[in-house]
Amino acid sequence: MLYPTQTKIRIFMQQTLSCDCLVAGGGPAGLSAAIAAAEAGRRVIVAEYLPSPGRKLLASGSGKCNLTNALPPEALARRFSAPFRFVRPALYSYPPGAWREFLSARGVPTVSPDGFHYFPKSMRAADVLDALLRRCRTLGVTILPGTPLRKLLIRDGKISGAESGRGRVDSPRLILACGGMGYPQLGGRGSGYELAREAGHRIVPPVPALVGLRAAEGWAARLPGIILPAATVRFEKNPAGTGELIFTHNGVSGPAVLDLSGSVARHLENAAEAVLACNWQSRPPEAYREQFALWQKQDGKKQLKTLLARMLPAAFADALCEAAELPGGSSAAHLRAAQRDRLVAALTSYPLRISGTDGWSKAMATAGGVPPEEVDAKTLSSRFCAGLFFAGEMLDVGAPCGGYNIQWAVSSGRLAGSAAARL
């Protein structure tokens, strides 16, 4: 059988199979886990729900695959919402450099166009998937496409295998790397959460993450395609989101809001709205006050919206004047102190009301899953069921946008696979 990446995989269709290590999920986490276990000499089977593995990986980064970034392991680990001590072992055991070396050794060199985000030099996610699949083939890993796991087989508190869509698979080790619920058309179904529950684990209710947000503000929806390149967005006590803010046909997206979207989605489970504090240019209020004073001296006769368009997209400047209840057609000279203060506040801490997210069909990641406190950080093994391990988005770690999710997938997969092989 031939996959989109042109890599042949051995497929067995027996009703009852056995192996040393069973991996649920054929994404980067599952394939990395399979490789690590197979490199340790274990016989490995990967059960993949879809007709072919790695479909979400193929779509990542619009097909270009932002596979990691330039941060060292410690700084990388501190960007996750999960406790540092939990994500640290996986990221230290298989850091970005090791992942890039793995790809380079298999003919997939990586590049960083902006000095931070890394991509395959070819800008083809298919090359990354192909490297993983070729290594699986070399190691004799068996991949079963179209084979969802339906039920865990547990005996005396230990994994003994699982019931699949094609029959039973006997194995004393099981790694759940089924992914989250984002992009259901590419396999995001959250099926692994039910399997984790069978083993006694609690599941933090999944919500969409790294997803666009829908604004309740009417003016925001009239600016699709407008980009503010250096915004700062805050939501409650979360770390501020920074970078591009992109207006969509129903709200906002872009790096400045994506990292906050999971927390916003969680908030909206119990509230009608969430409020983002938006500094559209990441400038302090004093900078605007000085600028307005200068305009009143040098450009007093010019319309306020014309002057604002020097630093902001014209359509956004018009909308912001409207939102701040200012007559954009009035001259700078006639800007009163109260109006100036209102405009400064609108520029530096505008309360953008959010009514929802773009949902699972647009979500690049999942917030929620197996809580870290129920998993051993050094092995990613279950604290409740011997022989059960977790990797990737099965775990509630809160990876931000920018190569973190794929790096976590391969790092956690390697750690779980290596630990399972030692069991």
Side-chain angles (χ1 to χ4, degrees):
M1 183 173 183
L2 209 57
Y3 287 90
T5 54
Q6 303 300 305
T7 298
K8 295 179 180 178
I9 306 292
R10 292 189 300 149
I11 301 172
F12 297 88
M13 309 302 287
Q14 297 101 318
Q15 290 300 304
T16 301
L17 298 173
S18 65
C19 62
D20 299 322
C21 183
L22 174 62
V23 179
L31 295 177
S32 293
I35 289 168
E39 286 176 344
R42 298 298 186 180
R43 295 176 301 118
V44 181
I45 290 177
V46 176
E48 165 56 39
Y49 190 104
L50 294 176
S52 61
R55 291 196 175 185
K56 286 179 72 174
L57 180 62
L58 289 174
S60 64
S62 299
K64 296 179 181 179
C65 190
N66 177 198
L67 52 90
T68 189
N69 60 52
L71 289 180
E74 181 166 344
L76 194 74
R78 294 194 183 280
R79 290 297 312 278
F80 288 71
S81 64
F84 171 77
R85 65 182 181 276
F86 181 77
V87 296
R88 181 182 184 275
L91 295 173
Y92 265 80
S93 65
Y94 196 67
W99 169 222
R100 291 171 52 218
E101 287 173 11
F102 170 90
L103 294 171
S104 179
R106 285 153 188 84
V108 186
T110 57
V111 295
S112 177
D114 60 1
F116 183 76
H117 302 90
Y118 275 92
F119 298 82
K121 185 176 181 180
S122 64
M123 294 294 170
R124 296 180 68 249
D127 292 343
V128 177
L129 177 58
D130 187 60
L132 291 166
L133 291 176
R134 280 189 285 113
R135 183 60 175 156
C136 284
R137 185 178 71 172
T138 299
L139 293 167
V141 172
T142 299
I143 296 183
L144 301 177
T147 308
L149 297 189
R150 307 293 191 191
K151 180 180 175 58
L152 300 186
L153 300 178
I154 301 174
R155 183 179 303 163
D156 298 326
K158 298 179 180 179
I159 287 291
S160 62
E163 292 287 347
S164 79
R166 298 185 182 277
R168 191 176 77 244
V169 182
D170 294 327
S171 174
R173 306 165 187 86
L174 171 62
I175 301 171
L176 291 180
C178 308
M181 296 177 64
Y183 291 138
Q185 66 274 26
L186 299 175
R189 291 174 171 82
S191 56
Y193 299 143
E194 290 304 316
L195 297 176
R197 284 194 181 96
E198 288 182 29
H201 284 277
R202 179 173 63 89
I203 299 298
V204 177
V207 295
L210 302 188
V211 65
L213 300 176
R214 299 187 174 186
E217 316 281 352
W219 64 266
R222 298 198 299 270
L223 301 172
I226 295 292
I227 297 175
L228 303 180
T232 297
V233 181
R234 299 183 184 278
F235 176 65
E236 296 186 335
K237 296 181 179 180
N238 296 277
T242 59
E244 277 191 348
L245 185 146
I246 303 169
F247 286 91
T248 65
H249 69 282
N250 57 17
V252 289
S253 187
V257 300
L258 288 176
D259 288 348
L260 298 169
S261 60
S263 296
V264 172
R266 183 75 65 201
H267 176 88
L268 290 172
E269 286 188 307
N270 300 303
E273 288 184 345
V275 179
L276 305 180
C278 301
N279 185 328
W280 307 109
Q281 292 188 302
S282 300
R283 298 176 66 184
E286 294 75 19
Y288 288 110
R289 294 183 190 281
E290 292 174 4
Q291 182 65 69
F292 296 158
L294 186 62
W295 283 346
Q296 286 182 316
K297 275 186 179 182
Q298 299 180 353
D299 298 289
K301 294 182 179 181
K302 293 186 177 178
Q303 291 184 341
L304 182 60
K305 65 180 181 181
T306 301
L307 295 171
L308 285 171
R310 292 178 180 178
M311 63 174 69
L312 296 162
F316 177 75
D318 284 349
L320 195 66
C321 285
E322 175 189 331
E325 299 179 350
L326 294 174
S330 62
S331 66
H334 290 90
L335 185 65
R336 298 175 182 175
Q339 292 175 322
R340 178 201 61 204
D341 292 344
R342 202 155 64 240
L343 183 56
V344 168
L347 284 161
T348 60
S349 59
Y350 186 86
L352 185 66
R353 295 179 300 122
I354 301 298
S355 59
T357 75
D358 285 340
W360 288 117
S361 65
K362 300 290 183 64
M364 291 182 278
T366 300
V370 177
E373 60 267 24
E374 297 182 1
V375 177
D376 185 331
K378 294 180 180 179
T379 61
L380 298 184
S381 60
S382 166
R383 296 190 183 276
F384 304 150
C385 182
L388 179 62
F389 299 78
F390 301 97
E393 280 195 286
M394 281 294 305
L395 295 158
D396 183 23
V397 297
C401 184
Y404 297 87
N405 276 282
I406 292 179
Q407 181 64 55
W408 171 252
V410 295
S411 293
S412 60
R414 294 286 304 193
L415 180 58
S418 297
R422 294 193 301 269
L423 182 65

